[in-house]
Amino acid sequence: MKLIAQSERIYLRELNTSDALSFYNLNIDFEVLKYTGDKPFKDIEDAKLFLKKYVKQYHNYKMGRWAICLNNTHKMIGWCGLKYHPKEKLADIGYRLLKTQWNKGYATEATQLALEYGFNKLNLKEIIAHVHEKNNASHKVILKAGLKYYKTIIYDNKPARFYTLSKLHYLNKLGD
């Protein structure tokens, strides 16, 4: 298990195939998937196969989506992380939490940990996010984390708000 970052309540670590059941449970809830464009896994084996392929992201790009785990129980409650898009040469931040963990501040906390990792460990110059137009909860998380609205785009054939945060603005925000 590779630890990525940690706060008082949570830590981020690399996903692995032993997360298949948690990952499956996360991705079969319609409300969790509502704004993502993703389809639910057929079964736990489908989730395991996805994870087996996904870990290549870590080797290829030194980043990816990471498990969000509670410090006190080590239970995986979702994922958060940076996804590299090689064609565009951009890293986007994303997250997904079990519905039982919504409205507890974990998404914002995990997003802040991932941003810190991206800017300080990976030396990224910019991190972006795209959030479905109607996903008000995610807009709040992204704004709390310091990203700024740039423009409205079409993403996965749906209107989405495009946010951005440069390393310079991130560092200036820390200095405030």
Side-chain angles (χ1 to χ4, degrees):
M1 169 190 94
K2 181 178 178 191
L3 181 67
I4 301 301
Q6 189 166 16
S7 67
E8 271 188 45
R9 300 189 308 156
I10 63 170
Y11 61 91
L12 303 178
R13 65 160 172 81
E14 289 185 352
L15 291 161
N16 59 62
T17 55
S18 67
D19 295 317
L21 177 60
S22 297
F23 208 67
Y24 171 77
N25 288 331
L26 182 65
N27 286 328
I28 60 168
D29 187 322
F30 170 75
E31 286 188 70
V32 172
L33 295 180
K34 186 175 182 178
Y35 299 114
T36 68
D38 291 341
K39 299 204 180 329
F41 291 119
K42 290 179 282 191
D43 53 33
I44 295 170
E45 279 305 309
D46 196 24
K48 193 174 198 175
L49 182 62
F50 176 88
L51 289 167
K52 190 174 187 177
K53 291 178 184 176
Y54 188 78
V55 297
K56 292 177 185 168
Q57 294 287 314
Y58 304 136
H59 301 290
N60 293 342
Y61 305 116
K62 308 295 183 233
M63 68 179 87
R65 306 303 197 200
W66 302 300
I68 304 170
C69 300
L70 297 173
N71 281 333
N72 59 348
T73 64
H74 303 289
K75 178 183 175 195
M76 181 183 159
I77 61 168
W79 59 256
C80 179
L82 303 168
K83 180 179 179 183
Y84 188 68
H85 299 272
K87 205 182 285 184
E88 297 87 0
K89 295 187 175 147
L90 287 173
D92 84 48
I93 191 150
Y95 45 85
R96 197 170 295 169
L97 288 161
L98 292 167
K99 197 166 37 183
T100 58
Q101 304 303 319
W102 289 2
N103 300 309
K104 296 181 181 181
Y106 292 128
T108 302
E109 201 169 326
T111 298
Q112 290 166 335
L113 288 173
L115 289 171
E116 180 183 345
Y117 186 85
F119 288 128
N120 295 334
K121 300 286 187 202
L122 299 175
N123 200 30
L124 297 173
K125 302 295 179 226
E126 180 181 42
I127 296 174
I128 61 112
H130 36 76
V131 180
H132 187 284
E133 189 70 32
K134 294 181 181 176
N135 191 344
N136 293 325
S138 284
H139 292 295
K140 288 177 186 174
V141 168
I142 289 298
L143 290 168
K144 273 192 222 172
L147 283 88
K148 302 291 182 216
Y149 171 78
Y150 180 66
K151 64 181 177 178
T152 299
I153 61 170
I154 300 298
Y155 186 81
D156 283 341
N157 299 315
K158 294 178 184 148
R161 293 184 198 160
F162 184 88
Y163 295 91
T164 183
L165 181 61
S166 71
K167 183 173 185 175
L168 179 64
H169 282 103
Y170 172 78
L171 294 173
N172 285 340
K173 183 180 163 239
L174 291 180
D176 291 343

